[in-house]
């Protein structure tokens, strides 16, 4: 029996478990650890609450989770409750699938002012991640600035712009819905250092902005390159830019009380304010060889909320080599050191879609199979259980998560699929392990 520990129950963790089952069938035992008592990583706490069909992918992971040979071990933080070295003593292979949960810093003066957030925190707040339940963002100023030109910036913008009714069918947590209901934000400025041809927004997500009940997207036609230049783009980019062209050409609509302004060629230089953010100072840029270069022209946008959607970093774990520049574990094709591997965002950084993690999971299991052969005779589960008993680690199993899931569904407000617990102790209580 090969004994495998996977650390992290997000997409990368589950695809890796699926690959292990394909590789060894009955000949493998997988323990999948997670800090939280609930599985699925960013499917639960990152993917937008109004994109329920995407969140539906977790049902596929359930099939893996319910297999005899795979065990969910929730509410256990590796690096705090048990070290990686200890795990390596118990399991033939330890695979870190811990994602990239920390916001990259803007590196600007004023970024620590109140009401300036990174997207991990802000998205975690509206998606019910226990670490961010107390974030308490304020929506009392009429202008919010969203920094970044990727899909996370789009998610944040859409959530800020939607009316109450547009959250029907979503699982946005009630504390966020209540705060957004009282929001005075009427202008959302989306800053991109480069131009329309350089955005990382995908067409489906960008197109959604045109169908919001009370908001309209605005693009300055001056920022758009000549249409013939779109020929160099790949088909997806071309569709995204077509949306921007449509936004630029659309007639103003008096019935839209919120405006979403795309401010391209705009590089934030400082967040201004006394304790709380009051404005963002920006330098106009131009493109030189595809890079944004400052022009020296600056301006300020008065704003009361800033959300930076500029990328993420993996959390360090003691005794695991870290690639500071890449913001992820130091690895060569998923190998960190003998018996220790990484996969998903923890391996390659925060890029790609949910599906990108599947080949990653299969590739890392190929490496493990090459290195491990028939197994190294480690004790696996019983050894972990003995240590957990000694150390008073009360872990949560998949059947406990199913009880939490049931309770969340039962607690759902009208029209919502669930009301998430946002405190770990409430999750544990719902699992009947209080
Ligand atoms: C805001 C946002 C929206 C997104 N929307 C989409 C979308 O609509 N469509 C799409 O295709 N992709 C989307 N993505 C990308 C997608 O979520 C990622 O590709 C995917 O979640 C990465 O999987 P992962 O398993 O590497 O990391 P994660 O999903 O982050 O999972 C990591 C898991 O590890 C656990 N963990 C971390 N540290 C420890 C530790 N020390 N001990 C134990 N457990 C630990 C965490 O609790 C978490 O459960 C989105 C990403 C973000 C940030």
């Amino acid at each position: 029996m090969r004994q495998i520990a996977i650390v992290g129950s997000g997409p990368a963790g589950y695809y890796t478990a699926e690959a292990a089952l394909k590789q060894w069938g009955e000949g493998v035992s997988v323990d999948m650890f997670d800090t939280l008592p609930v599985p699925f990583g960013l499917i639960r706490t990152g993917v937008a609450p109004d994109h329920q069909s995407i969140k539906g992918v977790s049902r596929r992971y359930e099939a893996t989770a319910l297999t005899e040979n795979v065990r969910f071990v929730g509410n256990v933080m590796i690096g705090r409750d048990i070290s990686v070295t200890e795990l390596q003593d118990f399991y033939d292979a330890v695979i870190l699938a811990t994602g990239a949960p920390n916001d990259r810093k803007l590196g600007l003066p004023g970024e620590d002012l109140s009401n300036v957030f990174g997207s991990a925190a802000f998205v975690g707040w509206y998606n019910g991640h226990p670490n961010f339940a107390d974030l308490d963002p304020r929506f009392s100023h009429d202008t919010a600035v969203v920094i970044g030109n990727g899909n996370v910036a789009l998610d944040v913008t859409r959530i800020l712009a939607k009316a109450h009714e547009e959250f029907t069918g979503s699982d946005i947590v009630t504390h966020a819905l209540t705060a957004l209901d009282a929001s005075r934000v009427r202008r959302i400025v989306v800053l991109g250092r480069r131009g329309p041809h350089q955005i990382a927004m995908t067409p489906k997500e960008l197109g959604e902005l045109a169908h919001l009940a009370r908001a309209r997207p605005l693009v300055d036609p001056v920022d758009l390159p000549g249409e013939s230049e779109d020929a160099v783009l790949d088909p997806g980019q071309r569709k995204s830019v077509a949306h921007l062209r449509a936004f630029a050409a659309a007639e103003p609509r008096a019935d839209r009380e919120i405006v979403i302004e795309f401010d391209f060629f705009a590089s934030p230089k400082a967040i201004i304010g006394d304790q709380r953010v009051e404005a963002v100072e920006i330098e106009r840029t131009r493109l030189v060889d595809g890079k944004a270069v400052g022009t020296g022209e600056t301006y300020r946008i008065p704003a009361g909320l800033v959300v930076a959607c500029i990328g993420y970093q993996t959390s360090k774990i003691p005794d695991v080599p870290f690639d500071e520049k890449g913001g992820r574990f130091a690895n060569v094709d998923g190998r960190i050191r003998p018996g220790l591997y990484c996969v998903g965002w923890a391996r390659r950084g925060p890029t790609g879609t949910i599906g990108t993690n599947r080949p990653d999971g299969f590739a890392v299991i190929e490496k493990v199979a090459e290195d491990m052969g028939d197994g190294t005779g480690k004790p696996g589960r019983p050894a972990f259980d003995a240590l957990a008993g000694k150390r008073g680690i009360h872990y949560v199993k998949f059947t406990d998560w199913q009880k939490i899931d049931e309770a969340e569904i039962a607690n759902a407000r009208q029209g919502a699929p669930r009301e998430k617990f946002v405190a770990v102790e409430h999750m544990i209580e719902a699992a009947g392990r209080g």
Side-chain angles (χ1 to χ4, degrees):
M1 195 60 127
R2 285 113 185 135
Q3 303 289 346
I4 294 194
I6 297 175
V7 183
S9 67
Y14 272 109
Y15 290 128
T16 303
E18 185 189 326
L21 290 175
K22 281 242 162 74
Q23 177 76 27
W24 296 292
E26 292 294 305
V28 68
S29 165
V30 176
D31 275 358
M32 185 184 288
F33 295 87
D34 207 288
T35 302
L36 292 180
V38 292
F40 308 139
L42 285 173
I43 302 298
R44 177 179 166 101
T45 60
V47 171
D50 56 343
H51 283 173
Q52 286 296 309
S53 59
I54 296 173
K55 284 182 187 276
V57 71
S58 60
R59 279 193 290 275
R60 179 193 171 122
Y61 306 150
E62 265 175 30
T64 305
L66 292 168
T67 316
E68 281 269 302
N69 306 42
V70 176
R71 175 172 83 154
F72 177 65
V73 189
N75 202 31
V76 179
M77 186 190 237
I78 305 308
R80 181 193 62 190
D81 301 325
I82 174 167
S83 71
V84 165
T85 317
E86 285 171 315
L87 273 192
Q88 284 205 262
D89 287 341
F90 297 159
Y91 298 89
D92 297 317
V94 174
I95 304 169
L96 303 176
T98 51
N102 300 328
D103 279 304
R104 257 187 58 209
K105 297 288 262 178
L106 281 164
L108 297 181
E111 76 174 302
D112 294 326
L113 286 169
S114 161
N115 238 30
V116 178
F117 304 108
S119 54
F122 191 75
V123 170
W125 169 75
Y126 65 63
N127 256 329
H129 193 300
N131 291 0
F132 305 110
D134 296 330
L135 198 72
D136 199 21
R138 300 298 163 98
F139 303 101
S140 48
H141 194 287
D142 77 339
T143 302
V145 170
V146 175
I147 302 175
N149 269 184
N151 279 346
V152 176
L154 277 181
D155 280 353
V156 167
T157 299
R158 196 177 64 254
I159 297 294
L160 287 173
K162 274 196 164 179
H164 182 94
E165 311 72 64
E166 292 175 287
F167 287 108
T168 304
S170 85
D171 66 352
I172 187 167
V173 289
T174 294
H175 68 223
L177 188 57
T178 308
L180 289 165
D181 279 348
S183 169
R184 295 206 189 133
V185 173
R186 292 296 174 268
R187 179 183 180 219
I188 304 162
V189 183
V190 183
L191 294 184
R193 283 189 304 157
R194 299 188 292 164
H197 271 195
Q198 286 74 37
I199 59 171
M201 297 162 167
T202 47
K204 185 168 165 289
E205 283 69 20
L206 193 53
E208 272 183 82
L209 295 189
H211 303 288
L212 296 176
R214 60 172 185 174
R216 73 183 182 93
L218 203 66
V219 168
D220 188 340
V222 169
D223 289 337
L224 288 161
E227 232 165 296
S228 60
E229 293 179 42
D230 292 357
V232 298
L233 301 174
D234 70 40
Q237 289 175 312
R238 218 174 298 141
K239 277 192 201 156
S240 290
V241 173
H243 282 304
L244 294 177
R245 292 191 186 284
F247 299 163
E251 290 293 321
R253 289 186 57 165
D255 60 338
R256 299 289 195 267
E257 56 182 302
I258 295 182
V259 61
I260 298 167
E261 279 177 41
F262 284 85
D263 192 358
F264 292 111
F265 306 106
S267 174
K269 288 290 150 199
I271 317 285
I272 313 291
D274 172 24
Q275 300 198 355
R276 195 160 145 189
V277 51
E278 289 164 22
V280 180
E281 180 152 305
I282 296 162
E283 181 177 13
R284 193 51 81 212
T285 65
R286 64 193 170 86
L287 273 187
V288 178
D289 296 333
K291 290 207 171 110
V293 175
T295 61
E297 178 198 342
T298 59
Y299 57 100
R300 282 186 183 188
I301 299 179
L305 169 69
V306 172
V307 186
C309 310
I310 57 159
Y312 303 96
Q313 290 196 328
T314 295
S315 279
K316 292 181 184 176
I317 297 183
D319 191 31
V320 180
F322 198 77
D323 166 4
E324 297 287 347
K325 196 159 166 257
R328 58 192 174 202
F329 296 122
N331 73 92
V332 178
D333 294 334
R335 289 182 171 110
I336 298 177
R337 64 171 175 243
L340 184 64
Y341 304 81
C342 58
V343 68
W345 277 18
R347 180 185 82 77
R348 55 177 211 276
T351 57
T353 62
I354 294 164
T356 317
N357 299 295
R358 192 164 188 272
D360 226 21
F362 278 73
V364 82
I365 285 299
E366 259 179 42
K367 305 278 180 310
V368 174
E370 269 170 45
D371 299 347
M372 189 172 66
D374 291 337
T376 51
K378 301 247 172 114
R381 274 182 199 180
F384 169 77
D385 286 349
L387 183 81
K390 240 193 263 165
R391 219 169 258 181
I393 299 172
H394 299 290
Y395 62 83
V396 161
K397 300 183 201 149
F398 202 79
T399 46
D400 297 320
W401 148 247
Q402 287 175 314
K403 287 186 205 147
I404 299 171
D405 188 31
E406 268 173 33
E408 289 189 339
I409 292 168
N411 290 345
R413 62 177 181 269
Q414 180 84 31
R418 69 177 60 245
E419 183 65 44
K420 288 178 193 165
F421 294 108
V422 299
V424 166
E425 61 267 32
H426 295 154
M427 296 173 182
I428 305 277
E429 259 169 43
R433 294 186 157 241

